[in-house]
Amino acid sequence: MNLVQTYGNMIKKYAPDHPRAAERMIKTGLALELFRTKHLADRNIPAAWRYLNTYAVGEVLAALRRPEHTVWANIFAPVEILQCFDVHTLSVECLASFLSGFTIENYFLDYAEDEGIAPTLCSYHKNFIGAVDSRVISPAAFAVTTSTICDGNVNTFRYLSEKHHVPSFLLDIPDQYSLETEAYVVDQLREMIGCLSDTFGKKLDVDRLREVLDRENRSKESYRRTLSMMRTKEYPGTLTIQMFMLVANHMNIGKQEIFDLYRMMEA
């Protein structure tokens, strides 16, 4: 049995009667992984990928350490707005993947099903629900999801928000564009901003939002140039690193760290 499985079994041993201890063990494991990615990473992988690996682990750890400053969000949530409230964003799928990395997902899957969650629910969502309902993972301060593209998000977020008293907001995105549907979404965004202000006790800084959006646009331009260069330039990585691009392209797009990542890739 390898070290990860042994550590995972220890977490599962503590989880039923000492969920807070199990949560501390998860955070300790992530802290050790953060150290590894910073100092012991494979040097055959490009520096930009090593940077992204460290950043992704660090963001998940920060979200777990400060749940009162964390928002559960799906990958299509307007994270640019969330950044203006100085919160960490954590996706269901991202945390579920990390829990699987600890080899403890079976405990949370069984826990969710034992309390009545349908066996047919997406395993990512069921893993996440089991982790929160078992009190191993602390609830976030807010939750935002959209009606696109996964049907499971709406029900999972609604269930967790109601059970754990987490303020939440659903952005209903129409399937066709028109001036009317654009106005409909804008009205929802304004309402969501009001909910965020009430939850975190601060107002949206419009100038800061402009800066985030400008940085996002420059990041995308840099990434497009990188993708063009990759037609003829080898850029070795791993499947895990490619999945971490969701952390960059969706959950944290617009941040200075992500702009720096794209510039590193382009160099």
Side-chain angles (χ1 to χ4, degrees):
M1 186 177 295
N2 64 34
L3 180 62
V4 173
Q5 288 178 318
T6 300
Y7 194 72
N9 287 338
M10 291 174 61
I11 295 173
K12 289 186 287 187
K13 178 181 178 181
Y14 279 94
D17 299 319
H18 305 284
R20 293 281 74 83
E23 183 180 38
R24 287 193 298 271
M25 292 178 68
I26 290 172
K27 289 185 284 191
T28 298
L30 289 174
L32 291 171
E33 175 65 5
L34 187 64
F35 178 88
R36 187 195 69 80
T37 62
K38 281 184 177 180
H39 304 288
L40 303 173
D42 184 355
R43 296 297 166 177
N44 294 316
I45 296 176
W49 285 152
R50 299 197 303 268
Y51 175 89
L52 175 59
N53 196 351
T54 299
Y55 180 81
V57 174
E59 277 298 293
V60 173
L61 178 58
L64 296 184
R65 280 176 169 171
R66 302 187 71 196
E68 72 279 7
H69 292 284
T70 295
V71 173
W72 291 334
N74 74 333
I75 63 172
F76 296 104
V79 296
E80 301 87 349
I81 292 174
L82 299 178
Q83 289 173 35
C84 298
F85 288 89
D86 296 311
V87 297
H88 298 284
T89 54
L90 184 65
S91 80
V92 168
E93 295 82 3
C94 182
L95 181 59
S97 296
F98 274 83
L99 296 176
S100 295
F102 279 101
T103 69
I104 56 178
E105 76 285 355
N106 58 331
Y107 175 81
F108 298 127
L109 293 172
D110 291 342
Y111 191 99
E113 289 189 17
D114 288 346
E115 62 176 354
I117 300 299
T120 53
L121 180 66
C122 165
S123 294
Y124 284 108
H125 289 245
K126 194 160 50 177
N127 191 359
F128 190 87
I129 287 173
V132 177
D133 280 358
S134 66
R135 297 185 296 119
V136 170
I137 297 299
S138 299
F142 197 82
V144 178
T145 190
T146 67
S147 57
T148 54
I149 187 171
C150 168
D151 293 336
N153 272 315
V154 176
N155 289 329
T156 295
F157 276 63
R158 181 185 294 121
Y159 167 83
L160 288 173
S161 296
E162 291 178 355
K163 184 169 184 177
H164 298 279
H165 310 290
V166 176
S168 64
F169 198 91
L170 167 64
L171 283 165
D172 179 33
I173 309 299
D175 59 3
Q176 295 184 358
Y177 174 79
S178 69
L179 292 178
E180 290 75 17
T181 57
E182 178 182 310
Y184 172 64
V185 174
V186 168
D187 286 342
Q188 291 182 77
L189 289 173
R190 288 189 177 125
E191 185 179 352
M192 184 195 75
I193 290 169
C195 293
L196 287 166
S197 296
D198 291 340
T199 299
F200 296 105
K202 62 188 301 183
K203 293 184 178 181
L204 176 71
D205 185 338
V206 177
D207 289 334
R208 183 174 178 184
L209 180 58
R210 290 193 183 100
E211 292 175 2
V212 171
L213 294 173
D214 175 68
R215 198 159 45 237
E216 175 179 354
N217 290 332
R218 288 187 286 127
S219 297
K220 290 178 178 178
E221 291 170 3
S222 179
Y223 188 41
R224 277 192 286 267
R225 291 191 294 268
T226 299
L227 291 176
S228 180
M229 288 190 298
M230 284 182 179
R231 296 171 184 171
T232 57
K233 178 182 177 182
E234 182 182 12
Y235 213 78
T238 65
L239 180 59
T240 299
I241 289 292
Q242 294 298 331
M243 293 298 292
F244 280 161
M245 285 301 290
L246 291 172
V247 176
N249 291 335
H250 289 271
M251 302 308 296
N252 294 278
I253 189 69
K255 286 187 175 181
Q256 181 64 46
E257 295 88 344
I258 302 305
F259 179 61
D260 292 343
L261 166 70
Y262 293 132
R263 294 301 300 273
M264 291 174 65
M265 294 175 68
E266 189 181 356

